[in-house]
Amino acid sequence: MIALMLRILVWFLYNKVGLNLMPGLFSVMGYSWSHGSGIRLPGTFLDGFLLSYSLSKIRDNRLKHRRIYPYLICAGISLYYVYYVFNSRSQILCFLLVIMLSFAFVNNRIFSSLAKVLLLVLCCFFIAKIYLHTDFLQSVLNFYDPGTQVRFLGFDFYQSDWLNHKILGFGIVSDGNIFHTWYNSWIYYLSDLGIVNTLFQFGYVGLIILFSPFIFSFFIGLKNNRSLNGYFLMLSSFYTILSSIFFQNVYDSPRILIVPFILALMQLSMKDDKNNEERHFYNRV
């Protein structure tokens, strides 16, 4: 949270005041990395983890109402950062779907059922939008937007090579390639493909090996969602899977540090589940 607030301050001073307090933060993605008029700043690898933790604490029945407000503020700051400072459409979408998933497990049965149905529909719709490479999709995503157009060009380029190496992929390659659009010449990065990056480089085998822990951890969290650790694990795993699908692969260098956090949380959740089973057993006895 301190890191996000510091980045918000640096971003505000640069874009609104013209003071470049920490040039190293802006030089990572370049001073031309923007949507609209403001130069954007990427977040940290803990952004989704922080939002998931805040939502799990808000849902924790052991907290009194007045103790929930700090976590509401944390969630609000996280949303502010991803919307204004990072300004990433895929990140915003991931945050909204994680919040929707948290709504699906509230105590109100009607509200929970509606949230689950809406979440399922949204997930299917957006995943289809990404992977169904059709003219309809191009029109929906504004194909003539340079950022969207270069993504399609990059996808076609890497996919043509992958088609001959589906099982094990075409191997590790350089990240950036230059593509020419109607607007400008762009360097498109293989890492921008998200989970498809893993599929193209390591094939079906690599995709299964690398992402099975997150699928496994999500279902462990789903099974133990009544506990704090289980609910936290479910949300954070869901976010990690979604963000990897939406062009932000968890195994890219800026985000890979979240992997041991999720694996450790999975161990805690499994331990909680084992303790609960033992407790129920002794109660029956």
Side-chain angles (χ1 to χ4, degrees), residues 29-234:
M29 303 299 294
Y31 288 88
S32 61
W33 195 55
S34 63
H35 279 162
S37 58
I39 305 302
R40 304 154 61 193
L41 273 182
T44 71
F45 69 94
L46 286 170
D47 292 354
F49 207 65
L50 177 62
L51 177 67
S52 300
Y53 178 73
S54 300
L55 293 173
S56 64
K57 295 295 286 186
I58 291 170
R59 187 245 196 182
D60 189 1
N61 296 326
R62 295 173 298 179
L63 290 181
K64 297 180 180 179
H65 290 293
R66 58 186 174 84
R67 297 183 62 188
I68 291 178
Y69 291 114
Y71 302 106
L72 287 172
I73 294 173
C74 286
I77 292 176
S78 298
L79 290 170
Y80 177 87
Y81 187 91
V82 72
Y83 187 80
Y84 287 103
V85 182
F86 192 9
N87 195 10
S88 167
R89 290 167 289 188
S90 62
Q91 191 88 342
I92 294 169
L93 177 59
C94 288
F95 271 39
L96 293 178
L97 289 174
V98 168
I99 293 173
M100 186 64 66
L101 178 63
S102 68
F103 287 165
F105 290 89
V106 297
N107 292 328
N108 188 298
R109 181 174 298 179
I110 297 178
F111 186 70
S112 174
S113 300
L114 291 174
K116 289 176 182 177
V117 172
L118 181 59
L119 179 67
L120 179 61
V121 171
L122 287 175
C123 285
C124 294
F125 176 70
F126 286 116
I127 291 173
K129 283 177 66 177
I130 288 177
Y131 290 108
L132 294 180
H133 195 57
T134 63
D135 294 335
F136 171 74
L137 170 60
Q138 294 175 4
S139 64
V140 170
L141 290 180
N142 187 8
F143 181 69
Y144 291 103
D145 171 72
T148 301
Q149 188 183 45
V150 78
R151 277 183 165 83
F152 280 106
L153 292 173
F155 184 91
D156 289 338
F157 175 81
Y158 292 115
Q159 184 189 39
S160 62
D161 195 11
W162 169 76
L163 289 175
N164 298 320
H165 308 86
K166 291 183 179 181
I167 304 300
L168 296 176
F170 50 63
I172 299 175
V173 296
S174 59
D175 194 18
N177 285 276
I178 298 177
F179 297 95
H180 301 285
T181 68
W182 63 270
Y183 179 78
N184 205 343
S185 295
W186 292 71
I187 298 179
Y188 183 70
Y189 295 95
L190 182 60
S191 56
D192 282 347
L193 286 173
I195 195 174
V196 180
N197 169 20
T198 302
L199 176 63
F200 284 175
Q201 291 193 88
F202 306 110
Y204 292 123
V205 173
L207 183 69
I208 294 172
I209 292 174
L210 290 173
F211 280 91
S212 58
F214 303 107
I215 303 296
F216 186 57
S217 63
F218 171 75
F219 284 106
I220 290 177
L222 183 64
K223 177 184 176 183
N224 304 314
N225 71 84
R226 294 184 180 276
S227 68
L228 179 62
N229 287 331
Y231 189 74
F232 185 14
L233 176 65
M234 178 185 67

